[in-house]
Amino acid sequence: PLAGTAAVRLLTGARWQLGAADLAALWRRARELAGGAPGTDPGERAEQAGLVDALDDPGSPARYSEVGYTRIRRLADELAQLRRRTAAPLPDLVADIERALLLDVETTARPGAVGRAHLDAFADVVAEFATGAEVPTLPALLDYLATAQDAEDGLEPGEVAVAPDRVQVLTVHAAKGLEWEVVAVPHLVARVFPAAKRASSWLRTATELPAELRGDALDLPRLDLAGCADRKEAGAAVDAHEAAFDERRLAEERRLLYVALTRSERVLLLSGHWWAETGGIPRGPSTFLTEITQALTSSRGLGVVEHWADEPAADEPADGQNAVGGRARTARWPVDPLGARRAGVARGAAMVLDCLDEGRVTVDGHPDPEGWAADADVLLAELAAGAAAEQVVLPGHLSVSQLVELARDPVALARRLRRPLPYPPNPHARRGTAFHAWLEQRFGARRLLDLDELPGAADEGAAPDVALEQLQAAFLRSAWAARTPVEVEVPFEAEVDGVALRGRIDAVFPDPDGGWTVVDWKTGALPPAADIAALAVQLAAYRVAWAALSGSPLERVRAAFHYVRPDVTLRPADLLDPNGLRALLATVPVASRRSVPTAAPGAR
């Protein structure tokens, strides 16, 4: 069931816009259904009475305005339909709610991927919860979201893309890595930025992890009580430790300020205030704003101070009243999201509906009152538009796995580059790592790798690590067991047509004729014949990279896949050379190529 605040937010939102009188009437109906007397405090029966109950049974239409009653009944019908879907998988249920609330239409109306960023991020959270929770029910999901809100200040927002045609409001954290022509950083005031101290160190706050146990323990202030002779000295050491944590917190805020100040390409606007919306004590400039102002006034060419308001007098305003909050303000509620544009939007909507009605008259001379043909035309047009190649900005570097994806489906890679999303949780993503780790030890590798960096960690169809003994026995029976590689786990970065290709070669063996064979170990099954051409792009990149690293002619470098369990070595013919890789990169529908410096071949 909807909580009261959530129900009010929905009822008074942009779609339903229920007025104050209708909302009050709906609450009175909720109290009646709960058996509350006219003089009863609504809070006393909050658990028994709810707005959702009144939506299901609003009572006489005479209680409400005509428009309000119509909206209440329509909302009740939508909620009833959604309740019938509560047994569906959580991702499907959330998708149904998204459509019922018309969030999909609203975000689609916004150009680009900006509108869907947060919806997609929330869908990923729901999908992860549905696969990882012991009991993935709707009440459990709601409890999880409430806990995240209380304990962690909510979920991480979706990735934000820069939209040059609108004003974007976001946090400094969400702006990392992005740039705009004009950036405004407000609220550089005391206790806001830098923020007021919310908690003490681990010594005085039970929810804080002790410094010695944290992953960044080496960077944290140390508490040394060894030299303390009495309680007074120990107290002074604790106070100094607390002050050191405060200094560290301020340094972190200063790094965050650096992120905010470096988001602008052309114009940077900074501001503070004396009076906030609430509170009877003026805030005033923060340390950061004061330091920036001193830098602007002491050095020419950095910028200008447009206006600096004097500090309010002690008796302004009188009796500690807020000079801003004390001003009378009027507004219409609920807020019309269209405002002055409503008349024009309504005319446009009427024109669209008229055109749709005209298109529903006949289809090939036959009546089509429901408009099925028109809907089909729209869906087919959407399908055709989705199949068209999207223009993307080609990044400065690609992984070898992205290169293989490009050979398989350039449009799919273009979409992923245009709107990158995290991959869904995959319990098999690290299959095959045990075998590769054993092989490293057998060949005497000395490089330190993270688990995710181990070769085979993302191979499709890789064997599970429990099959290690089978893989070991199969490898020892192969011809490769008798050979000694000159290099294993070779990281590389090779530039092709201005794009840095990055990867890691499993092993390089010397050949009797003085050439080389680059080998990539595969622990899964043999691929279908139709997939070999795309997979061979991986070997082509390895071959070009090793030729650059070793200084050998490309024709003296060979490449092969060895599938361990079936003991089959595939040596695809006609591997792409640098020109072929350039031609492959050209298949990405590129809008522009981002210019970034790339390291020389072989640089790490």
Side-chain angles (χ1 to χ4, degrees), residues 214-237:
R214 286 175 47 169
D216 56 349
L218 296 177
D219 299 327
L220 295 177
R222 296 294 183 119
L223 175 62
D224 186 8
L225 299 177
C228 298
D230 52 30
R231 181 174 180 178
K232 181 178 180 181
E233 291 183 0

Side-chain angles (χ1 to χ4, degrees), residues 257-341:
L257 176 71
Y258 173 80
V259 173
L261 300 184
T262 53
R263 299 308 94 204
S264 169
E265 297 178 359
R266 186 170 55 87
V267 177
L268 176 64
L269 306 173
L270 309 175
S271 68
H273 55 259
W274 287 105
W275 295 105
E277 290 184 349
T278 59
I281 300 176
R283 290 187 180 273
S286 70
T287 303
F288 294 160
L289 187 59
T290 302
E291 292 174 355
I292 293 171
T293 302
Q294 291 174 350
L296 294 179
T297 54
S298 61
S299 302
R300 288 189 173 184
L302 291 180
V304 296
V305 179
E306 294 286 352
H307 179 68
W308 189 274
D310 295 331
E311 182 176 1
D315 57 350
E316 178 192 350
D319 302 327
Q321 296 296 318
N322 188 306
V324 177
R327 298 171 184 170
R329 291 180 292 178
T330 60
R332 180 176 178 177
W333 184 82
V335 176
D336 185 353
L338 296 178
R341 298 168 48 236

Side-chain angles (χ1 to χ4, degrees), residues 98 107 113-127 157-159 419-422:
E98 181 183 305
T107 55
V114 178
R116 284 217 57 91
H118 302 297
L119 288 179
D120 289 339
F122 182 70
D124 290 338
V125 170
V126 175
E159 294 185 5
R419 185 164 61 91
L421 293 173

Side-chain angles (χ1 to χ4, degrees), residues 378-434:
V378 172
L379 292 173
L380 290 173
E382 181 181 358
L383 180 63
E390 300 186 46
Q391 295 290 307
V392 298
V393 176
L394 193 63
H397 60 82
L398 290 174
S399 66
V400 173
S401 60
Q402 287 176 311
L403 204 63
V404 174
E405 184 180 4
L406 173 60
R408 284 176 174 166
D409 191 344
V411 174
L413 178 63
R415 289 174 179 167
R416 190 178 300 279
L417 292 175
R418 178 177 178 270
R419 185 164 61 91
L421 293 173
Y423 287 93
N426 183 1
H428 305 298
R430 289 175 172 169
R431 282 183 165 188
T433 56

Side-chain angles (χ1 to χ4, degrees), residues 481-506:
R483 300 183 62 176
T484 302
V486 295
E487 284 284 355
V488 294
E489 314 307 341
V490 185
F492 69 86
E493 180 175 305
E495 183 177 326
V496 176
D497 198 21
V499 177
L501 300 181
R502 296 175 180 174
R504 189 182 294 272
I505 302 172
D506 281 2

Side-chain angles (χ1 to χ4, degrees), residues 103-173:
L103 295 178
D104 56 338
V105 175
E106 181 178 346
T107 55
T108 303
R110 302 177 183 180
V114 178
R116 284 217 57 91
H118 302 297
L119 288 179
D120 289 339
F122 182 70
D124 290 338
V125 170
V126 175
E128 183 176 0
F129 178 84
T131 57
E134 294 183 3
V135 185
T137 61
L138 180 59
L141 175 63
L142 295 177
D143 289 341
Y144 168 76
L145 296 176
T147 302
Q149 179 71 31
D150 294 338
E152 302 179 8
D153 294 328
L155 303 173
E156 288 292 328
E159 294 185 5
V160 178
V162 175
D165 58 343
R166 72 195 68 184
V167 175
Q168 293 177 267
V169 181
L170 61 161
T171 64
V172 178
H173 289 285

Side-chain angles (χ1 to χ4, degrees), residues 333-588:
W333 184 82
V335 176
D336 185 353
L338 296 178
R341 298 168 48 236
R342 172 160 295 280
V345 173
R347 286 195 301 271
M351 294 171 64
V352 171
L353 292 175
D354 291 341
C355 291
L356 289 175
D357 289 337
E358 293 175 2
R360 291 172 180 165
V361 177
T362 60
V363 177
D364 295 333
H366 301 285
D368 184 26
E370 299 297 330
W372 292 110
D375 291 344
D377 290 340
V378 172
L379 292 173
L380 290 173
E382 181 181 358
L383 180 63
E390 300 186 46
Q391 295 290 307
V392 298
V393 176
L394 193 63
H397 60 82
L398 290 174
S399 66
V400 173
S401 60
Q402 287 176 311
L403 204 63
V404 174
E405 184 180 4
L406 173 60
R408 284 176 174 166
D409 191 344
V411 174
L413 178 63
R415 289 174 179 167
R416 190 178 300 279
L417 292 175
R418 178 177 178 270
R419 185 164 61 91
L421 293 173
Y423 287 93
N426 183 1
H428 305 298
R430 289 175 172 169
R431 282 183 165 188
T433 56
F435 171 75
H436 284 81
W438 170 77
L439 210 55
E440 284 179 78
Q441 294 176 354
R442 188 176 189 278
F443 287 141
R446 293 295 182 264
R447 294 188 175 93
L448 296 178
L449 302 177
D450 291 335
L451 184 58
D452 289 332
E453 293 181 317
L454 282 173
D459 283 350
E460 294 183 7
D465 289 342
V466 294
L468 176 60
E469 294 183 1
Q470 300 175 11
L471 293 170
Q472 289 172 332
F475 179 80
L476 293 175
R477 291 192 300 268
S478 72
W480 296 102
R483 300 183 62 176
T484 302
V486 295
E487 284 284 355
V488 294
E489 314 307 341
V490 185
F492 69 86
E493 180 175 305
E495 183 177 326
V496 176
D497 198 21
V499 177
L501 300 181
R502 296 175 180 174
R504 189 182 294 272
I505 302 172
D506 281 2
V508 181
F509 292 86
D511 290 335
D513 62 355
W516 312 93
T517 296
V518 174
V519 180
D520 189 76
W521 312 116
K522 298 294 186 184
T523 60
L526 287 170
D531 291 348
I532 294 179
L535 292 173
V537 173
Q538 178 183 359
L539 293 181
Y542 289 175
R543 179 170 172 256
V544 170
W546 181 250
L549 287 169
S550 63
S552 301
L554 185 62
E555 58 270 14
R556 297 182 66 83
V557 180
R558 307 165 183 93
F561 290 123
H562 180 68
Y563 287 83
V564 180
R565 285 208 284 188
D567 191 14
V568 174
T569 300
L570 293 181
R571 302 177 185 269
D574 300 326
L575 292 177
L576 298 178
D577 59 9
N579 290 331
L581 293 177
R582 291 189 190 95
L584 178 61
L585 289 174
T587 62
V588 180

